[in-house]
Amino acid sequence: MERWRPSAAVTRQEQFILKRLEKRRKLFAFLRRHRHEIFDDAFQAELESMYRDTGAGKEPVPPALLAMALVLQGYLGMSDFDAVEASVFDARWQMVLGRLGETEPAFSQGALQAFRERLIANDMDRRLLERTIELARATSEFDWKKLPKTLRVAIDSSPLEGAGRVEDTINLLAHAGRKVVECAAGLLDWPVERVCREARAPLLAESSVKKALDLDWSDPAQKASAVKSLAFQLENLKDWIGAQLAAEKKKPPLKDEIETLAQLMSQDLEPDPGGGGVKIREGVAADRRVSVEDREMRHGRKSKSKRFNGYKRHIATDLDSDLIIAGAITPANRPEEEAAPELKRDIELQGRGIAELNIDRGYIASPLVDEILGAGGEVICKPWVARNGKSFAKGDFKLNLRDLTITCPAGETERIEFGSVVEFDPEACDHCRLRANCTAASAGSGRTVAIAENERLQHKLRKLQKTRTGRARLRERVAVEHRLAHLARRQGRRARYRGVRKNLFDLRRACAIQNFETIQRKAA
């Protein structure tokens, strides 16, 4: 396999381009100057290991050149087509790729897509991010000798809108039904209209199901009738597929489309005991799928008032170097804590550990927190705030975690257990002079206080927040928020790809580019 070996010497034409890049798009100049360090022989050998060594097949474009092209593509947010064109018409691209003056593209769209898929399949996008950290180690501006073996890590997340189309129940079911029809038509080499006619599902032949039904959608009775009609025709389609394409139904691609339709019907419809047939489900099904095209997108919330559809991007930042050391993608409906093990794994693969973890409350239930505390590390996080209107809050009670007791403002003491709710003696509460300021419970019921499973940690965090030094330490986590803001600006609000794994690739690539810019800034 041919290895990428661009010249190290800077030509006169490159000097002219580098001069023009002193104020804008400085990363082109940085990548030109450091391409030999980033893609050294050892890393190029790793990239080449993704390919078979039988000699069969077409000779591939040097993997390191394609990897650099993916970095440039992410830097400018280009499509595959535009990346191919840029390798011919953009002198900055040509300079970085070592192809100044070439009149043919450095690669094809197919080669770039195939390399990206190969990179993902071999988890080499993780190695690309690690290379940025290894490059920083070789830079004098990062004094790694003064940094501990274990890291001070901050973790945070931000929303990422999915690339798939989100639809209401009627359109979602119709979309899935049409995908089944189109797949069956392709297998039979029939027009779509014939499949719909034979399967007794004429609604699916229309460009818009709602237009074909032509109903007053504000009328509940007409809407319910439309749901029944569509569901009936979808069942007809499934029965017809089972009879006409029984063998094909068990194999992709028809198998996948049938399963998608069945999943959507199961989650969005339920039997209608009053009118027969089915109706739209009351409430939202657990782990509800929101898009036909992207099966992994989910509903999520950033706050009580802000909902989004897609994914969450999570990053881990080293607070001492400002470098992003790991990234993770989860569906939008999954709690933040589920990303922590993946971030920890990627950090450990770099031969590093976590001595101090700075997080927000969304990650506090992660097993990673217990692991770090158990190893003698430290967790920095804002504590949960207990509120009780104008009445006494939990903070007004005295917790003794050594004796495992809690004492109310009136002096009554009860035993506590972690992960449970303690109730004070109802008789004492009934006759308490402070009852009106403590609880609105009816007579015969005592004041209750919830004791968290991690109450010892919460108690420590509350004490930390009350000191000036503690509040200063809590503010250190703002560094990871800045990194997330840069990534959101680079990637945009909407995901570039469909599915968790491809978007993880895009996040790791964006993190690598961000790290390159951090190294460049510190070296300037």
Side-chain angles (χ1 to χ4, degrees):
M1 180 182 295
E2 181 183 355
R3 185 164 288 186
W4 188 41
R5 297 194 182 280
S7 173
V10 178
T11 67
R12 186 174 181 179
Q13 187 179 2
E14 287 179 328
Q15 288 175 349
F16 170 78
I17 297 171
L18 291 171
K19 181 69 175 177
R20 301 288 298 177
L21 294 171
E22 288 180 354
K23 293 184 178 180
R24 283 184 57 81
R25 296 299 184 187
K26 298 178 183 179
L27 192 65
F28 281 106
F30 176 85
L31 293 174
R32 166 60 186 88
R33 293 189 177 103
H34 294 278
R35 64 191 180 191
H36 293 87
E37 299 166 73
I38 301 167
F39 296 100
D40 60 12
D41 285 340
F43 188 41
Q44 291 209 44
E46 288 185 62
L47 293 171
E48 290 164 5
S49 69
M50 300 188 301
Y51 295 79
R52 60 187 180 185
D53 57 3
T54 62
K58 186 178 179 181
E59 184 72 14
V61 178
L65 184 147
L66 289 170
M68 180 64 89
L70 287 178
V71 171
L72 296 176
Q73 180 189 37
Y75 180 49
L76 296 181
M78 286 182 164
S79 67
D80 287 356
F81 174 81
D82 288 335
V84 172
E85 294 301 296
S87 73
V88 180
F89 296 115
D90 192 324
R92 300 168 302 177
W93 274 66
Q94 288 198 321
M95 178 187 68
V96 174
L97 297 179
R99 293 177 55 83
L100 272 174
E102 296 287 342
T103 57
E104 293 295 326
F107 44 82
S108 65
Q109 280 184 253
L112 191 62
Q113 178 182 346
F115 178 75
R116 180 169 55 242
E117 292 173 355
R118 193 182 296 269
L119 204 72
I120 291 171
N122 290 273
D123 206 30
M124 289 297 289
D125 50 336
R126 174 182 57 81
R127 283 291 298 128
L128 181 61
L129 176 56
E130 290 176 359
R131 283 299 296 158
T132 66
I133 301 166
E134 292 164 6
L135 178 65
R137 285 178 180 276
T139 305
S140 59
E141 282 69 23
F142 293 85
D143 193 349
W144 293 91
K145 293 180 181 179
K146 292 183 180 180
L147 298 181
K149 183 77 171 177
T150 51
L151 305 174
R152 297 173 58 244
V153 172
I155 296 176
D156 203 359
S157 68
S158 66
L160 182 65
E161 291 280 351
R165 187 170 65 193
V166 179
E167 301 166 294
D168 62 25
T169 296
I170 296 289
N171 286 324
L172 195 67
L173 294 174
H175 189 170
R178 285 196 198 96
K179 296 283 287 186
V180 173
V181 168
E182 290 167 2
C183 188
L187 292 170
L188 293 168
D189 197 21
W190 287 4
V192 166
E193 292 75 15
R194 181 179 174 184
V195 172
C196 293
R197 185 172 61 252
E198 296 282 343
R200 293 181 299 130
L203 281 174
L204 301 179
E206 302 293 335
S207 59
S208 169
V209 168
K210 288 187 175 181
K211 179 182 176 181
L213 289 166
D214 192 23
L215 300 174
D216 178 4
W217 294 98
S218 63
D219 184 341
Q222 292 190 50
K223 184 176 180 180
S225 174
V227 171
K228 295 181 193 299
S229 298
L230 177 59
F232 180 74
Q233 294 194 24
L234 291 173
E235 291 293 348
N236 287 345
L237 174 63
K238 289 163 64 178
D239 292 341
W240 184 83
I241 292 288
Q244 298 295 321
L245 295 167
E248 291 82 354
K249 180 183 175 182
K250 300 176 182 178
K251 300 179 293 185
L254 185 57
K255 177 176 180 290
D256 297 334
E257 303 298 353
I258 288 289
E259 287 178 350
T260 295
L261 176 59
Q263 177 188 9
L264 296 177
M265 293 182 71
S266 173
Q267 72 178 22
D268 285 355
L269 302 177
E270 63 181 3
D272 183 5
V278 296
K279 63 176 183 176
I280 294 178
R281 177 190 292 269
E282 294 184 12
V284 179
D287 202 35
R288 181 177 182 268
R289 180 170 172 175
V290 298
S291 173
V292 171
E293 301 295 346
D294 189 341
R295 65 177 62 248
E296 294 179 297
M297 279 177 57
R298 292 294 183 268
H299 287 306
R301 288 189 179 276
K302 186 61 179 174
S303 66
K304 289 184 178 180
S305 60
K306 293 182 179 179
R307 194 178 77 172
F308 65 100
N309 300 294
Y311 302 94
K312 293 176 184 175
R313 51 190 157 202
H314 309 256
I315 61 168
T317 297
D318 174 22
L319 291 176
D320 292 311
S321 66
D322 281 342
L323 295 175
I324 302 171
I325 52 179
I329 294 285
T330 58
N333 66 335
R334 306 313 304 161
E336 270 78 357
E337 64 197 67
E338 291 189 6
E342 186 175 343
L343 295 171
K344 174 177 177 280
R345 183 208 65 184
D346 285 3
I347 293 170
E348 289 179 339
L349 286 172
Q350 300 171 35
R352 314 289 285 185
I354 302 175
E356 180 185 307
L357 183 65
N358 292 257
I359 53 176
D360 68 18
R361 290 181 286 241
Y363 296 92
I364 199 69
S366 169
L368 176 60
V369 170
D370 293 332
E371 291 175 23
I372 290 172
L373 293 174
E378 190 173 8
V379 173
I380 308 296
C381 178
K382 288 184 178 180
W384 289 111
V385 179
R387 294 184 175 87
N388 194 29
K390 295 182 179 180
S391 302
F392 292 134
K394 183 178 178 179
D396 297 313
F397 290 68
K398 183 179 179 181
L399 270 172
N400 188 324
L401 297 179
R402 178 177 298 176
D403 297 335
L404 296 181
T405 60
I406 183 171
T407 303
C408 76
E412 290 293 325
T413 300
E414 295 287 344
R415 298 284 299 175
I416 64 171
E417 292 183 9
F418 296 119
S420 65
V421 176
V422 60
E423 181 181 6
F424 283 84
D425 180 19
E427 185 175 348
C429 286
D430 284 347
H431 299 91
C432 179
R433 70 186 188 282
L434 301 176
R435 180 181 178 85
N437 297 324
C438 188
T439 179
S442 58
S445 298
R447 169 64 190 265
T448 58
V449 178
I451 306 299
E453 189 71 46
N454 61 352
E455 192 65 50
R456 291 188 189 278
L457 174 61
Q458 292 294 326
H459 184 67
K460 182 178 179 180
L461 296 177
R462 284 192 288 270
K463 290 174 63 177
L464 183 73
Q465 194 176 35
K466 290 179 180 178
T467 66
R468 181 186 295 272
T469 302
R471 291 191 292 272
R473 295 189 68 188
L474 285 167
R475 287 193 295 270
E476 289 183 346
R477 198 181 68 86
V478 74
V480 72
E481 296 175 354
H482 291 166
R483 300 284 84 74
L484 269 174
H486 286 303
L487 290 175
R489 188 177 70 241
R490 185 181 307 285
Q491 288 189 286
R493 185 177 61 88
R494 184 170 297 277
R496 185 184 182 97
Y497 301 105
R498 294 170 182 162
V500 168
R501 187 60 187 88
K502 287 185 178 180
N503 280 305
L504 175 58
F505 155 77
D506 196 44
L507 175 62
R508 284 172 169 170
R509 174 172 63 177
C511 290
I513 295 168
Q514 185 63 40
N515 282 353
F516 284 138
E517 290 190 330
T518 299
I519 298 168
Q520 175 197 33
R521 185 180 68 253
K522 292 198 174 188

